[in-house]
Structure formats: structure tokens, C-alpha cells
Amino acid sequence: MFRFIIWLTRRLRSGGRSAGQPSYAAQGGSGEYVTVRLPDGQLVEAQRAEPVSTGQLSTGGGNTGSGNTGSGPAQNPTVVLLVPPGGQGPRRRWYSVIPRWVRWTALIVIIGLFFRRIAAWAALAVLSGLLHLFGANVHLPGVSFGWPWSASGTTTSSTLVGPLVLQKVEGIDKPALGTTTFNFLFTHEVSKSMGILPCWYSATFYAVGKASATVDLNPGASWWKASTGHYVLRVLSKPSGTTPGEVAITMSLPDPQLPQSVHDVSIDNTLSKPVSSDHSWTYPGLACGALIQPQFAQSVLYSEAQTEAFKQATTVQSVTQPLIAAAEKEANTIIEDNFVTPTLNSLNYKVEQFTIKWVPASGSNG
């Protein structure tokens, strides 16, 4: 009778709890009660009736005796319910259906896009090193290193544009030649004395000379040091989309050098010709006529004309000024059109202003 009352009390207690919460069954024989610990930590008494998978139950501490012994719930063994009732496993995440390699690829792509400036800078650095190793002279676009949260530079900054342009200028290995032609008159005379008789003959010739002034386009590494101020590049605007940036360049070069020897000038024989001649009053006679030969050798005339041309190309202002102007124009064309402009265009910049200043240099006659 006492056992029946205890059993009825437990029955009523378990029925009251099951009214507001579901009942659970644990593995074991019918009629034996255990305390079930739910996944959320709540304790529920349940009767062992239907067997469940071993993955759902875990026997915890407590009295493992039968349910018909003892008088309190603490005497019942404790079974921990690892999974929800019904045999359903843990809920899978939504991304678990996506293959792992797809998730890793997507993660790498996102990181690459976020750090694209660093990735581009590293890739160009490696490619440039490989090209330099194999001796290939290929121009690569310049990309500056920068973090995503720093001020973005869509193209090469001024600190890179300036050295790249100067590097091209330093590669010039030939001077600029400013050539001009000029005409002049020169007189060749021969005289001999026959006793008291003066004998002489002279001829005046029209000659066309050709001379060149030179400009040293690359005076050396010391000339281009920043402290000298001989090279200044200013970025006026940076590229934006399809609009190129603008730069202003100021360079200083040594003054053009005038011809240094008679071998730096030449005479155009096809345009040179005699224009007049003169002689002593006794020339037609037998005396001087037999002594003087008016036919001058061509080599003698050329040498004398060349000497006169060199003198005019170095001293006569009407010749030296056009000569220097031609040399300066040639230097400006070579540097800007062949070296500066192509380099800047490849970097998406254009030359807004280009100026060459001429400064004295040791050994220059300009």
C-alpha cells in the first residue's frame, strides 16, 4: 500500500510537468524512471520506454538503482539528452551545403579585392624582377604601395613619375647637333718680287660654310643631383578616369658648344665660286706673267676657306647666334619628343609645360 502511494505521487507529479512541456523517453526497461537533462540544462523526469540512439543519451552521475527504490527524485539516475527528441541531429548551418573549396576561393577573392593595391604592387615588383633577370627592357606601369584605408592613388605618384622620366633622359648617349649654313667671301693672294718689280695676283671667292654647335644632353649623374636644381618635375594634376594627368618640367643644360676646331666646319664646293680677281700692273707682261701662276690648287682654296669659316662660326655674331639657336631647338626636340613625352604618356600623363634653361658650364664657348 505504501509503495502504491509513492508510485501514484510520482505519477501525478510527472503528469503535471508533462502538461506544460513535452515528455521524453530514455533507453531502458518499461516502468523505470530517470532524470533527463535537456540540451538547455532543464531537468525532466521520464520513464524508460522507447529505446533511443546512443548518440542521444549520456548517462551522468547519480544513483543507478531501479526506480522502485528510494523516495526522492535524486535517487533516479541522470541521463543527459544530447540531441533533441525524435532522433534529429544538430541543425546544420546554411553554408555547410557549399563545398569547402568554393568558400575558400570566395574568401581569397574578397581579400584580394580589398587589398588590390598591395596585390598589384607585389605582382609588378615580382614581374619587374623577372624581366630584369632575363635582360628584357619592358616598361611596366607604376603602382604605389598603399593600404585600403589610406588615400588612394589611382596612378603613379609624383615621387615615381619624376625618377622615371629622369632615368630616360640619363639614357641619352648622343649630343644634340644644331647645324646651320652661312656664306662669306674670302680672298686668296699670291705675290712674288722680281727685282724692283712687284708681282702679285689675287682672287676673291664666294664660299658656303656649314657648321654645327653641340649640346651635351646628359652631362652626368652629378649634374642631375637634386641639390643642383637642374631637374624639377611638378605634378599639376593626377589622372582621373580617361583624363590624363598633367605635369610641368623644368630642366637646365650646359650652354651649346660652338665648333672647337676647323674640322668641325665644312665648305660646300658645289656652291663656292670665284667672283673677282686682281693683279699688279706688270702682270700681263713678260716679267710677272712668267713668274706668277694664277691657277690655285683646289686643296689650297678649301683649306683657306675652311679656316675662314671656322673663324666666323666662333666670332661673328651673325653666325654664332643662329648656330646656338639651332642647337637649342634640336636639344629641346630630342628630349621632349623622344624621351619625356613618350615616358609620361605611358604613365597616363601629358606635358603641360616643358622648359629648358641654359647655364654656363666649364669649357663651354657658348
Side-chain angles (χ1 to χ4, degrees), residues 10 13 17 33-35 45 62-63 70-78:
R10 291 180 178 176
R13 185 183 303 172
R17 290 181 181 175
Y33 287 86
V34 294
T35 302
E45 287 188 358
N63 189 359
S71 58
Q75 296 177 355
N76 297 327
T78 302

Side-chain angles (χ1 to χ4, degrees), residues 31-292:
E32 186 177 357
Y33 287 86
V34 294
T35 302
V36 179
R37 184 183 299 276
L38 298 179
D40 58 0
Q42 186 178 2
L43 296 176
V44 179
E45 287 188 358
Q47 183 182 13
R48 294 186 180 182
E50 299 178 2
V52 294
S53 62
T54 56
Q56 292 181 261
L57 298 177
S58 175
T59 304
N63 189 359
T64 59
S66 63
N68 56 0
T69 61
S71 58
Q75 296 177 355
N76 297 327
T78 302
V79 178
V80 179
L81 192 64
L82 302 179
V83 297
Q88 296 180 359
R91 182 178 298 176
R92 302 179 65 185
R93 302 291 183 180
W94 63 269
Y95 53 80
S96 60
V97 297
I98 303 176
R100 180 174 297 179
W101 67 270
V102 175
R103 286 180 281 173
W104 278 106
T105 303
L107 180 62
I108 294 173
V109 170
I110 294 174
I111 294 176
L113 291 176
F114 188 70
F115 296 97
R116 57 185 179 273
R117 290 178 59 189
I118 300 177
W121 173 81
L124 288 175
V126 173
L127 182 59
S128 177
L130 293 176
L131 293 175
H132 180 73
L133 180 63
F134 290 100
N137 186 15
V138 179
H139 174 72
L140 298 175
V143 177
S144 61
F145 179 89
W147 298 104
W149 51 83
S150 63
S152 61
T154 56
T155 57
T156 311
S157 63
S158 59
T159 57
L160 294 179
V161 173
L164 284 175
V165 175
L166 181 59
Q167 182 181 6
K168 294 296 182 180
V169 174
E170 289 179 330
I172 304 176
D173 57 356
K174 294 182 179 180
L177 296 177
T179 303
T180 186
T181 58
F182 53 97
N183 55 71
F184 57 94
L185 297 175
F186 76 97
T187 301
H188 183 72
E189 180 179 350
V190 59
S191 63
K192 292 183 180 180
S193 298
M194 182 177 288
I196 61 173
L197 298 177
C199 299
W200 55 271
Y201 183 91
S202 66
T204 301
F205 295 87
Y206 172 85
V208 176
K210 185 177 182 180
S212 298
T214 59
V215 175
D216 190 358
L217 301 179
N218 186 15
S222 59
W223 180 269
W224 301 116
K225 288 183 178 179
S227 58
T228 62
H230 291 160
Y231 171 77
V232 178
L233 184 145
R234 294 183 297 110
V235 176
L236 303 179
S237 63
K238 293 186 176 181
S240 177
T242 58
T243 304
E246 297 180 350
V247 299
I249 300 177
T250 301
M251 299 178 61
S252 297
L253 290 175
D255 286 328
Q257 191 176 50
L258 295 173
Q260 299 298 296
S261 69
V262 294
H263 302 292
D264 295 335
V265 297
S266 60
I267 302 298
D268 190 347
N269 290 329
T270 59
L271 298 178
S272 301
K273 57 185 178 180
V275 294
S276 63
S277 62
D278 196 8
H279 55 83
S280 61
W281 64 274
T282 59
Y283 173 73
L286 296 177
C288 292
L291 182 64
I292 298 177

